[in-house]
Amino acid sequence: MFRSLPLLFPLLLAACAVTTHPARPCALGAPSSSAQMLAVLDAPGPVEVETVASVDWAVERSGLINLDNPKAKAANLKDGDEPIQIFFHVLRHPERGTYLVDTGVETALRDHPERASIRGFVASFMHLEKMRFHAPLGEWLAAHPQDKVAGVFFTHLHLDHISGGGDVPAGTPLYAGPEEATAHAFLNLFTQASTDRALDGKPALNEWRYAPDPSGRFDGVQDVFGDQSVFALWVPGHTPGSTAYVVRTPHGSVLLTGDACHTRWGWDNDVEPGSFSGDRPRSAQSLHRLRQLAAEHPALDVRLGHQR
Ligand SMILES: [Zn+2]
Ligand SMILES: [Zn+2]
């Protein structure tokens, strides 16, 4: 048995990747920079954004906010259930069509939980029984037949952001940050099957091609369509490939932070996410960078990962 351990070891490592779904460099858009984004950030753009709350939910505050941060201690913030929502964002580009940022939850999670991507042990661990359903993705898409989904831009691949994947039509292109699919962690042993199911039937995941940002403001910036209408910002820490999106609308720019910031309190008080994040110092740096961007551009419409 012990002689076969070296043979088993790579298998164990493979089992610990976020997903077995393949990933490849993205062919859409082009690497960009903070300078190029900042030059157009305050100018109106062509893309409309609609943010939809898929479900109400509640999770531990200590996962959402680092309660050991001195500001959280000074505010006497304690652990307990924090009310949150799971969103998806609908981006309507006049030429490129409709894209989603994240996916909310799938309709099966409400109607046929035994068939949902997240089920069994993982579903009970996540306390999905606390969910109150508003707009499962499939139900919403059926009510909006004009929105044919041309692609999904993920902020990251945590289950609460990809759960609606089962309601995304087969063959739809998917996009996420570098290493988001391939990063290894012990916890992935439990979540990998659910992640694989949520991505099943879709082509290989396209990874944003971030080039180093010359100004160092962000780890990387990509011009998503190559027309400066949508930018992907690399904000690692919560996960290795965590990505925020800046969308230029006719009414000004919208910043979708993803889980670089989960909560309103965390944003207002500059306190990074808690135990749900893999690298807290890096997530604190990414949050600081996003808050600086918003401070310098007060008209920016900031939409956080899990609260309004
Ligand atoms: Zn997350
Ligand atoms: Zn999340």
Side-chain angles (χ1 to χ4, degrees), residues 92-158:
R92 298 185 180 98
H93 188 293
E95 281 107 42
R96 301 303 191 110
T98 298
Y99 284 77
L100 300 176
V101 171
D102 293 339
T103 58
V105 302
E106 65 178 325
T107 310
L109 203 57
R110 181 192 63 194
D111 298 348
H112 302 284
E114 74 286 356
R115 278 191 246 145
S117 307
I118 310 172
R119 60 188 186 227
F121 165 75
V122 177
S124 34
F125 184 78
M126 291 175 72
H127 291 288
L128 299 190
E129 75 280 358
K130 292 180 185 171
M131 283 185 176
R132 297 290 169 266
F133 292 83
H134 298 297
L137 182 65
E139 193 172 86
W140 189 93
L141 289 175
H144 296 78
Q146 76 280 13
D147 285 310
K148 304 252 179 289
V149 182
V152 179
F153 304 146
F154 287 117
T155 59
H156 62 304
L157 296 183
H158 278 168

Side-chain angles (χ1 to χ4, degrees), residues 270-292:
D270 195 13
V271 174
E272 69 279 5
S275 60
F276 297 155
S277 288
D279 184 335
R280 287 194 212 184
R282 253 189 131 185
S283 80
Q285 183 186 54
S286 288
L287 173 63
H288 182 72
R289 289 169 167 182
L290 290 173
R291 288 181 84 261
Q292 189 181 348

Side-chain angles (χ1 to χ4, degrees), residues 156 160-161 259 262 306:
H156 62 304
D160 53 322
H161 297 254
D259 283 354
H262 305 281
H306 288 291

Side-chain angles (χ1 to χ4, degrees), residues 65-77 265 269-272:
I65 298 170
N66 180 10
L67 299 180
D68 294 328
N69 183 298
K71 288 179 213 160
K73 285 190 162 166
N76 205 25
L77 229 54
W265 194 92
N269 294 279
D270 195 13
V271 174
E272 69 279 5

Side-chain angles (χ1 to χ4, degrees), residues 99-295:
Y99 284 77
L100 300 176
V101 171
D102 293 339
T103 58
V105 302
E106 65 178 325
T107 310
L109 203 57
R110 181 192 63 194
D111 298 348
H112 302 284
E114 74 286 356
R115 278 191 246 145
S117 307
I118 310 172
R119 60 188 186 227
F121 165 75
V122 177
S124 34
F125 184 78
M126 291 175 72
H127 291 288
L128 299 190
E129 75 280 358
K130 292 180 185 171
M131 283 185 176
R132 297 290 169 266
F133 292 83
H134 298 297
L137 182 65
E139 193 172 86
W140 189 93
L141 289 175
H144 296 78
Q146 76 280 13
D147 285 310
K148 304 252 179 289
V149 182
V152 179
F153 304 146
F154 287 117
T155 59
H156 62 304
L157 296 183
H158 278 168
L159 289 173
D160 53 322
H161 297 254
I162 65 170
S163 156
D167 287 345
V168 174
T172 304
L174 309 175
Y175 302 83
E179 295 173 51
E180 193 58 26
T182 51
H184 285 64
F186 177 70
L187 195 66
N188 296 337
L189 270 176
F190 305 100
T191 55
Q192 190 190 67
S194 298
T195 307
D196 285 354
R197 283 192 289 264
L199 304 178
D200 191 34
K202 314 297 191 291
L205 195 75
N206 300 286
E207 295 187 334
W208 298 124
R209 287 173 296 135
Y210 291 123
D213 187 13
S215 70
R217 281 187 70 123
F218 288 100
D219 282 69
V221 180
Q222 175 152 359
D223 181 347
V224 165
F225 294 113
D227 64 357
Q228 300 196 315
S229 63
V230 179
F231 292 92
L233 309 182
W234 195 6
V235 286
H238 179 63
T239 61
S242 276
T243 292
Y245 295 92
V246 165
V247 188
R248 292 179 50 228
T249 85
H251 329 286
S253 288
V254 175
L255 170 65
L256 306 172
T257 68
D259 283 354
C261 187
H262 305 281
T263 63
R264 179 67 193 265
W265 194 92
W267 179 263
D268 287 345
N269 294 279
D270 195 13
V271 174
E272 69 279 5
S275 60
F276 297 155
S277 288
D279 184 335
R280 287 194 212 184
R282 253 189 131 185
S283 80
Q285 183 186 54
S286 288
L287 173 63
H288 182 72
R289 289 169 167 182
L290 290 173
R291 288 181 84 261
Q292 189 181 348
L293 181 72

Side-chain angles (χ1 to χ4, degrees), residues 53-103:
S54 200
V55 294
D56 292 343
W57 195 26
V59 296
E60 310 96 81
R61 192 167 296 114
S62 57
L64 301 166
I65 298 170
N66 180 10
L67 299 180
D68 294 328
N69 183 298
K71 288 179 213 160
K73 285 190 162 166
N76 205 25
L77 229 54
K78 299 286 184 229
D79 205 1
D81 262 4
E82 175 76 16
I84 63 167
Q85 294 181 306
I86 297 180
F87 301 110
F88 60 88
H89 310 276
V90 186
L91 275 49
R92 298 185 180 98
H93 188 293
E95 281 107 42
R96 301 303 191 110
T98 298
Y99 284 77
L100 300 176
V101 171
D102 293 339
T103 58

